[in-house]
Amino acid sequence: MSLNSTVSQLQLRDGRQLSYQISGPAPKPSSSGPSDSIPTVLLSNSLCAPFHTWDHYVSILHGHKFRVIQYDQVGHGGSTVNSSEVDGTTFNSLANDVLQLLDALQVRKVHAWIGISMGAATGIYFCAQNPGRVERLVICDTISCSPNAIGIPDPFEARVAAARKDGHINDIVEQTIVRWFSEPWREMNEAEVQRMRNIMLKTQIEGFAACCRALQDKEFDLRPLAGKLGGAVEKVMLVVGENDANLPQTMAELREQIQAGFDSLGKGGKVRWAIIKGAGHVSVVDGLEEYSQHVTQFLEA
């Protein structure tokens, strides 16, 4: 028996609507309360990428008998955004949105959180704030901190200003596709590029701005949280596209910090690492086959 995979809406405490979808094997009914009998994988998205980004990998997860929760962050896909709250968006607030979703769904423990880019950062914040709520964390293609926290040029402000000036997200989407995927891959995968373009164009300008604010926040810094993950989750895996700018180097440093935290608790060997050959920033798309081999193996280990 499978769960209904239609898109649903959850009204959050601040009045926003959070768009989500659950699919895969359904847990057995239990008179004693919610059931976690089917391992659940939660997928968390990158900036400008609603949850359908994951659809090819979701099919693979279903084949391995996982239940899957997908959701759209604020102002992405079917999730709404309060324009008055855009500047107050942080990774703490993004993590709290997911906490409200899991509580509403009565999901007490997630087998794995898989996040790409800002979805990975959200996962780190969530796990640090809610120890034991996630068993395994997969961190993919994320920066370690806000550019404003370390005094390097901030690319987000200009992008937000350009989108607001244009009154649409079209140019941002085209620029993002070029950054994420290499030219040879785009030329060989035109249908997949168009699928991604159609998905990304559903991002609202103020939703894009809100998530950029989280990335710009001077308090956004994964490094102080890295050492705490050993006490919050059972296992961690870091995945990065080979061609994703300098992230193979910076994520290797993040991995060392996470491993040190596990080692301090006598949990050595719990942090895995994979570089997806030829892939860019969203390696579940342009590196799907290798990505799924590494990550699915980690989920089942």
Side-chain angles (χ1 to χ4, degrees):
M1 179 179 180
S2 295
L3 290 171
N4 190 331
S5 61
T6 58
V7 178
S8 301
Q9 298 284 332
L10 170 70
Q11 182 167 328
L12 300 171
R13 286 192 289 269
D14 65 3
R16 287 181 293 117
Q17 297 290 320
L18 184 75
S19 174
Y20 70 94
Q21 177 174 285
I22 309 178
S23 59
K28 296 179 181 179
S30 172
S31 59
S32 61
S35 173
D36 294 332
S37 59
I38 301 294
T40 298
V41 175
L42 184 140
L43 304 176
S44 190
N45 321 318
S46 54
L47 177 66
C48 205
F51 70 63
H52 285 296
T53 297
W54 296 92
D55 283 356
H56 296 322
Y57 187 51
V58 169
S59 297
I60 294 171
L61 289 172
H62 290 166
H64 288 263
K65 309 303 182 185
F66 289 109
R67 179 171 59 156
V68 180
I69 299 175
Q70 298 162 265
Y71 77 98
D72 286 327
Q73 62 262 53
V74 54
H76 286 57
S79 291
T80 62
V81 56
N82 292 339
S83 58
S84 62
E85 298 178 2
V86 165
D87 289 341
T89 304
T90 66
F91 279 102
N92 285 320
S93 68
L94 293 170
N96 185 261
D97 288 351
V98 182
L99 179 62
Q100 291 183 62
L101 174 63
L102 294 180
D103 285 348
L105 296 175
Q106 295 185 302
V107 176
R108 296 168 297 190
K109 189 167 187 176
V110 173
H111 177 72
W113 178 307
I114 307 176
I116 288 183
S117 192
M118 67 175 298
T122 305
I124 292 174
Y125 271 81
F126 180 93
C127 292
Q129 295 167 1
N130 302 279
R133 199 72 187 260
V134 173
E135 182 178 329
R136 304 169 191 221
L137 176 62
V138 183
I139 302 166
C140 308
D141 297 275
T142 184
I143 58 176
S144 297
C145 63
S146 164
N148 292 318
I150 53 176
I152 63 174
D154 174 4
F156 302 111
E157 190 64 35
R159 294 173 194 169
V160 171
R164 285 173 168 164
K165 180 181 178 181
D166 294 341
H168 58 72
I169 205 78
N170 304 35
D171 291 346
I172 295 297
V173 167
E174 292 307 316
Q175 294 162 16
T176 302
I177 287 173
V178 170
R179 284 197 307 273
W180 284 1
F181 308 118
S182 70
E183 183 175 359
W185 187 87
R186 297 197 308 271
E187 291 176 349
M188 294 176 61
N189 296 273
E190 292 182 1
E192 182 65 1
V193 171
Q194 186 59 47
R195 184 187 80 89
M196 287 298 300
R197 179 180 291 112
N198 293 340
I199 292 168
M200 295 166 72
L201 285 171
K202 296 179 181 179
T203 306
Q204 301 165 49
I205 293 174
E206 292 307 300
F208 176 72
C211 290
C212 283
R213 291 293 178 255
L215 290 160
Q216 292 174 291
D217 183 7
K218 288 185 178 180
E219 300 301 315
F220 164 44
D221 194 341
L222 302 179
R223 295 168 298 179
L225 303 177
K228 300 178 181 180
L229 290 177
V233 301
E234 290 301 313
K235 298 180 180 181
V236 172
M237 182 176 194
L238 293 91
V239 180
V240 64
E242 179 184 31
N243 298 330
D244 193 3
N246 69 334
L247 289 191
Q249 176 185 344
T250 60
M251 286 190 63
E253 294 168 359
L254 186 65
R255 180 204 179 197
E256 291 177 1
Q257 295 165 341
I258 295 171
Q259 186 65 67
F262 273 84
D263 291 344
S264 69
L265 297 172
K267 298 167 69 175
K270 298 293 186 179
V271 182
R272 294 193 184 183
W273 171 255
I275 296 178
I276 308 303
K277 295 179 181 178
H281 190 59
V282 186
S283 48
V284 72
V285 175
D286 58 348
L288 176 62
E289 183 176 354
E290 185 177 351
Y291 180 96
S292 63
Q293 289 174 352
H294 286 293
V295 176
T296 309
Q297 183 182 55
F298 173 73
L299 299 183
E300 296 182 327

